[in-house]
């Protein structure tokens, strides 16, 4: 838990957009890991990939059945002080925050499978092969999901039209 908990919680939080739901899924994931530890085969897949696969399956089971849409949540650190005497830095920070918000909205509107592939590969640092194992699909399917997600995000950001995803 100590080794993988924070990383896994971040992934679940981005999927669910709910700290409570992410915590529940994290707890259930580690209960399942404990119960099914005998089924893990070292050498076939990395432990972190196996654990993420369990977490992802729990997410799918819990939330797809309810037809609940999930997204990405990014916390803004309010403790970062902006230099308000320097208008250029403040303007740059505001533009960056606006762009980040636009990206977050665009990602949250991606289809579930595209969002999961993007989060696994871009924010969690998994390879396409590992993401394929976690999602239970082929590597080419992951690559296709990533290409479609990136194309959709690029279009949404360049057109500034997040509502039409």
């Amino acid at each position: 838990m100590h080794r993988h908990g924070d990383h896994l919680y971040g992934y679940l939080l981005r999927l669910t957009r709910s700290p409570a739901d992410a915590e529940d899924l994290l707890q259930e994931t580690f209960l399942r890991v404990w119960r099914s530890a005998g089924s893990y085969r070292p050498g076939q897949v990395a432990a972190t990939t196996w654990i993420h696969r369990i977490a992802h399956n729990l997410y799918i089971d819990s939330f797809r059945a309810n037809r609940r849409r999930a997204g990405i949540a990014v916390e803004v650190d309010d403790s970062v002080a902006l230099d308000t005497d320097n208008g250029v830095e403040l303007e740059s920070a505001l533009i960056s925050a606006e762009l980040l918000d636009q990206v977050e909205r665009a990602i949250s509107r991606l289809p579930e499978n595209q969002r999961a592939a993007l989060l696994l590969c871009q924010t969690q640092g998994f390879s396409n092969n590992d993401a394929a194992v976690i999602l239970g699909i082929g590597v080419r399917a992951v690559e296709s999901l990533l290409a479609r997600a990136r194309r959709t995000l690029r279009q949404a950001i360049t057109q500034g039209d997040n509502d039409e995803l």
Side-chain angles (χ1 to χ4, degrees), residues 41-62:
R41 302 289 177 241
Q44 286 184 337
V45 67
T48 188
T49 303
W50 181 66
I51 294 168
H52 273 74
R53 171 73 181 189
I54 292 169
H56 186 79
N57 286 343
L58 284 169
Y59 164 74
I60 295 297
D61 293 346
S62 297

Side-chain angles (χ1 to χ4, degrees), residues 15-163:
L15 282 176
T16 64
R17 298 187 77 183
S18 166
D21 290 341
E23 289 172 11
D24 289 345
L25 286 171
L26 182 67
Q27 182 177 7
E28 182 61 29
T29 297
F30 283 110
L31 286 172
R32 290 240 180 127
V33 165
W34 179 259
R35 287 184 201 134
S36 59
S39 69
Y40 174 65
R41 302 289 177 241
Q44 286 184 337
V45 67
T48 188
T49 303
W50 181 66
I51 294 168
H52 273 74
R53 171 73 181 189
I54 292 169
H56 186 79
N57 286 343
L58 284 169
Y59 164 74
I60 295 297
D61 293 346
S62 297
F63 294 99
R64 187 180 278 168
N66 296 330
R67 298 279 194 191
R68 185 168 177 192
R69 299 295 297 170
I72 186 170
V74 175
E75 295 180 18
V76 176
D77 185 359
D78 293 330
S79 66
V80 176
L82 295 176
D83 181 3
T84 55
D85 293 334
N86 188 341
V88 174
E89 287 182 25
L90 179 59
E91 183 178 343
S92 176
L94 291 173
I95 290 170
S96 295
E98 184 178 313
L99 181 58
L100 180 60
D101 186 52
Q102 186 178 13
V103 170
E104 289 172 14
R105 285 192 314 269
I107 290 172
S108 72
R109 289 180 174 90
L110 286 172
E112 182 179 313
N113 55 357
Q114 290 178 24
R115 183 175 54 252
L118 187 72
L119 290 173
L120 286 168
C121 293
Q122 296 300 129
T123 64
Q124 297 299 105
F126 283 101
S127 69
N128 291 359
N129 290 337
D130 289 340
V133 170
I134 292 167
L135 297 173
I137 58 178
V139 175
R140 294 180 111 191
V142 168
E143 292 168 352
S144 178
L145 290 171
L146 290 171
R148 283 184 277 158
R150 290 176 181 141
R151 185 173 43 248
T152 302
L153 290 175
R154 187 172 21 276
Q155 182 179 25
I157 291 167
T158 58
Q159 293 178 355
D161 188 13
N162 288 337
D163 296 329

